[in-house]
Amino acid sequence: MSLIRADRSKLRVKPLVVALSLIAPMLALSGCMSGEADVDLATYVEQTEPADVLYNQGLANLNAGRLKEASRKFEAVDRQHPYSEFARKSMVMGAFASYRQGSYEEAINSAKRYLALYPSTDDAAYAQYIIGLSYFRQIRDVTQDQKEARRTIEAMTEVVQRWPASEYVDDANAKIRFARDQLAGKEMQIGRYYLERREFIASAKRFRNVVENYSNTRHIEEALARLVETYYAMGLTSEAQTAAAVLGQNYPDSQWYKDSYKLLQSGGLEPRENAGSWISKAGKMFSGA
């Protein structure tokens, strides 16, 4: 009987031994792949995160100033729940988060992608505004290239023209004025460069561009005064007198006008408008500006 009991106990133990022998290799294999298994598990958990939860987490991080984490949450919504309402909202908020981080190219690309997919939504104006802001923040000193100023004008003009009733229009117009002032300043800088080197034709071209195309900037007074100086040096006294006359009509108290008047007086001349001059015609366009 004892032998029978012993045999039976062996029979009971054997299945357990066999099971353990089968499990051991599996455990070893899972140990080798533990890193990959962890990643897959994390991905699975992330993929099952509801879109609204991720989106609200992104907003919370954004409000708390945790911009990188906010960007990750918005990207997760777009990746895990594409073409959903929250993915659409996350795309434009992700563009804003990139803008806040100073990642302007990323912000521009995200906003452009949003506009390509959702051009008629309520947030389309905001996406376009983010593009304009991203270019605006990259505007450089007038001694450098002003391509960002030109792109700011293009982007913000789009906001004003396509969404004239949006809340971004006033600031868009302000950014346009600043960018135009930068472009005028660049023209003035180049014009003064040529004037100092007595390259009068080249300098007159730059000052004329300011008068004709940037008359609503703060550079208009100097541009007219520089034309007086340039034309006077070239011997084109009628044009010099006309520039001074237009300057005096619009900015009689300007120091630039006083200096121009003295320059003409030194040659026995005074301001006198020639109605047929391009300067006179341009002056009528910005009179009272």
Side-chain angles (χ1 to χ4, degrees):
M1 293 293 295
S2 62
L3 289 174
I4 293 174
R5 283 196 296 271
D7 289 340
R8 287 178 178 174
S9 88
K10 288 178 182 179
L11 290 173
R12 287 196 299 270
V13 171
K14 187 174 182 179
L16 177 61
V17 172
V18 172
L20 289 174
S21 67
L22 293 173
I23 292 172
M26 296 175 61
L27 292 175
L29 181 61
S30 66
C32 295
M33 300 176 62
S34 61
E36 183 178 347
D38 290 343
V39 172
D40 290 341
L41 179 60
T43 302
Y44 174 78
V45 172
E46 184 185 36
Q47 288 175 342
T48 59
E49 195 79 34
D52 60 331
V53 172
L54 286 170
Y55 178 75
N56 288 328
Q57 287 175 348
L59 290 181
N61 281 296
L62 189 63
N63 291 332
R66 296 187 292 269
L67 301 177
K68 289 185 178 180
E69 184 61 25
S71 294
R72 282 194 286 268
K73 294 296 182 180
F74 293 134
E75 289 169 4
V77 178
D78 188 26
R79 182 175 63 254
Q80 298 169 24
H81 307 277
Y83 307 109
S84 67
E85 179 184 357
F86 286 103
R88 176 176 61 79
K89 293 180 178 180
S90 292
M91 196 180 299
V92 72
M93 293 309 298
F96 175 69
S98 295
Y99 163 75
R100 286 285 302 276
Q101 293 176 76
S103 302
Y104 299 123
E105 288 305 313
E106 185 175 341
I108 291 167
N109 291 334
S110 296
K112 285 183 176 180
R113 177 170 171 250
Y114 180 92
L115 287 168
L117 293 172
Y118 311 106
S120 302
T121 60
D122 293 338
D123 290 328
Y126 186 48
Q128 184 64 40
Y129 179 63
I130 289 174
I131 294 173
L133 285 178
S134 298
Y135 285 132
F136 176 78
R137 293 298 179 187
Q138 298 180 81
I139 294 178
R140 307 178 186 183
D141 182 83
V142 293
T143 59
Q144 301 182 57
D145 184 76
Q146 293 299 302
K147 65 180 180 181
E148 288 84 5
R150 288 187 288 272
R151 289 173 178 172
T152 296
I153 294 171
E154 292 172 0
M156 290 305 192
T157 299
E158 190 80 2
V159 173
V160 174
Q161 292 180 349
R162 289 186 61 186
W163 298 278
S166 75
E167 60 186 290
Y168 314 111
V169 167
D170 288 344
D171 192 58
N173 279 322
K175 298 296 189 291
I176 291 171
R177 287 192 294 271
F178 179 88
R180 283 177 54 80
D181 197 84
Q182 285 291 110
L183 293 180
K186 181 64 177 181
E187 288 293 280
M188 293 301 299
Q189 186 242 343
I190 297 173
R192 287 190 295 267
Y193 172 87
Y194 287 131
L195 182 59
E196 290 172 1
R197 286 154 182 76
R198 301 182 65 80
E199 297 180 34
F200 299 125
I201 296 177
S203 65
K205 179 181 178 181
R206 298 293 179 165
F207 300 138
R208 176 171 180 167
N209 187 33
V210 174
V211 171
E212 290 186 318
N213 298 306
Y214 301 101
S215 60
N216 61 342
T217 69
R218 60 190 174 93
H219 300 282
I220 184 63
E221 297 176 45
E222 182 185 356
L224 287 166
R226 295 296 185 184
L227 283 171
V228 175
E229 183 179 354
T230 302
Y231 285 139
Y232 183 82
M234 295 172 70
L236 302 176
T237 56
S238 177
E239 293 292 81
Q241 288 174 288
T242 300
V246 171
L247 178 58
Q249 290 167 9
N250 290 278
Y251 309 97
D253 299 324
S254 168
Q255 184 61 48
W256 290 109
Y257 174 63
K258 295 175 183 177
D259 293 342
S260 296
Y261 194 93
K262 289 179 181 178
L263 177 62
L264 292 178
Q265 278 192 323
S266 68
L269 302 171
E270 61 182 13
R272 180 179 300 164
E273 185 174 356
N274 175 3
S277 169
W278 72 265
I279 305 173
S280 178
K281 296 175 183 177
K284 289 179 173 59
M285 299 295 294
F286 64 82
S287 180

